[in-house]
Amino acid sequence: MAYATILTESRGPVGLITLNRPQALNALNAELLGELCTALEAYDADEAIGCIVVTGSAKAFAAGADIKEMAPQSYMDMFKADFFAQPHDRIVAIKKPIIAAVAGYALGGGCEIAMLCDFILAADTAKFGQPEINLGVIPGIGGSQRLTRFVGKSKAMEMCLTGRMMDAAEAERAGLVSRIVPAADLVDEAIKVATAIAEKSQPIVAMAKQAVNRAYEGTLAEGVLFERRLFHSTFATEDQKEGMAAFVEKRKPVFKQK
Ligand code: CAA
């Protein structure tokens, strides 16, 4: 399928999505958000794909929601369209792992899209922020909630109240990103990690993603029970038999389940 604002490409078992509105630093207009969700859903449904990488350009992962598109909207426009509910809910519903490979600016909605991915690999050039306060608005794709869970109340509050940016080193120290890689290696490294994930048992990968995500959504006791039930159900899969047999037989497992 041809898209106007993103590029898509399969690299072996990895679906690579590149945000591509360079003239606007990948600002997230309705068309881009719609295309991003459609591409994610297509890879989610594709049996040949085991993991998805979302990236931007060297200068910007995405510099936020499209301010020029939002500027004239009224309260009733935003409320009636339930603005940003769609992309948020469609990305949350993706079952396969999504890695955000972030170089340059990830601001406002850009930071929020990165946080909606399952983890963030950051280039040493990455800059994260929620600068909505400078526009007279607040984050609208979950940023105030997710940033707080990632980095804690104090830092999230400071970022949302001042709009200041965090560089990659601070983002790694704060736990927003899993690790930092040199900018020139970012996409290759993300593809390498995604390929390693795609080579594992796909039903078990989906369960692991669900289990970690559950930590955000309920109490600890409920999350631990949810994890334990999923853990039990891994024993209903052929890949559990293969994975454990391979360990005992001192060989590499060959996972087959899609
Ligand atoms: N929306 C629309 N256009 C944007 C944009 C955005 N979020 N960010 C950048 N652009 C456009 C600029 O208007 C400019 O276009 P023109 O050449 O046509 O004027 C082009 O991209 C290049 O940007 P700059 O000239 O500003 O580039 P710079 O290198 O000088 O600055 C920047 C880079 C610091 C990221 C600056 O562009 C900036 O501050 N952008 C806005 C960041 C922001 O406020 N993001 C939050 C948006 S609100 C939001 O996201 C709400 C939400 O929670 C969902």
Side-chain angles (χ1 to χ4, degrees), residues 23-24 27 59 63 65-68 84 108-109 112 132 135 139-141:
Q23 72 287 4
K59 182 160 182 193
D66 191 314
I67 300 167
K68 293 166 192 167
F84 295 135
E112 293 169 299
E132 290 89 344
L135 300 167
I141 324 181

Side-chain angles (χ1 to χ4, degrees), residues 27-98:
L28 307 164
N29 63 3
E31 185 178 28
L32 187 152
L33 286 169
E35 290 189 344
L36 172 62
C37 293
T38 301
L40 286 169
E41 285 160 359
Y43 281 136
D44 207 28
D46 182 345
E47 284 225 333
I49 297 297
C51 191
I52 305 165
V53 173
V54 178
T55 195
S57 68
K59 182 160 182 193
F61 177 77
D66 191 314
I67 300 167
K68 293 166 192 167
E69 191 180 68
M70 286 185 298
Q73 305 282 338
S74 70
Y75 166 74
M76 280 315 292
D77 296 332
M78 298 305 258
F79 180 75
K80 274 164 66 183
D82 205 1
F83 220 78
F84 295 135
Q86 268 233 17
H88 178 274
D89 295 354
R90 287 173 74 186
I91 296 172
V92 164
I94 301 296
K95 291 184 283 307
K96 286 177 186 161
I98 312 171

Side-chain angles (χ1 to χ4, degrees), residues 21-209:
R21 286 187 76 209
Q23 72 287 4
L25 301 184
N26 294 331
L28 307 164
N29 63 3
E31 185 178 28
L32 187 152
L33 286 169
E35 290 189 344
L36 172 62
C37 293
T38 301
L40 286 169
E41 285 160 359
Y43 281 136
D44 207 28
D46 182 345
E47 284 225 333
I49 297 297
C51 191
I52 305 165
V53 173
V54 178
T55 195
S57 68
K59 182 160 182 193
F61 177 77
D66 191 314
I67 300 167
K68 293 166 192 167
E69 191 180 68
M70 286 185 298
Q73 305 282 338
S74 70
Y75 166 74
M76 280 315 292
D77 296 332
M78 298 305 258
F79 180 75
K80 274 164 66 183
D82 205 1
F83 220 78
F84 295 135
Q86 268 233 17
H88 178 274
D89 295 354
R90 287 173 74 186
I91 296 172
V92 164
I94 301 296
K95 291 184 283 307
K96 286 177 186 161
I98 312 171
I99 302 173
V102 175
Y105 297 113
L107 302 178
C111 187
E112 293 169 299
I113 295 293
M115 290 190 289
L116 276 166
C117 296
D118 293 302
F119 61 92
I120 303 174
L121 278 183
D124 45 16
T125 57
K127 283 189 165 45
F128 299 87
Q130 298 291 160
E132 290 89 344
I133 195 91
N134 298 324
L135 300 167
V137 294
I138 67 167
I141 324 181
S144 62
Q145 306 304 297
R146 284 199 172 77
L147 188 65
T148 305
R149 282 166 166 79
F150 274 103
V151 307
K153 178 182 167 187
S154 197
K155 199 177 277 287
M157 189 68 92
E158 188 206 341
M159 305 233 354
C160 290
L161 294 184
T162 66
R164 91 164 167 87
M165 293 183 216
M166 249 197 252
D167 65 14
E170 184 180 0
E172 187 186 34
R173 279 198 307 278
L176 178 58
V177 308
S178 68
R179 62 199 164 82
I180 302 174
V181 293
D185 303 337
L186 178 69
V187 173
D188 286 347
E189 182 61 21
I191 298 282
K192 198 167 125 195
V193 177
T195 304
I197 293 170
E199 283 168 356
K200 304 196 191 299
S201 167
Q202 290 308 295
I204 307 300
V205 164
M207 286 189 210
K209 170 170 168 162

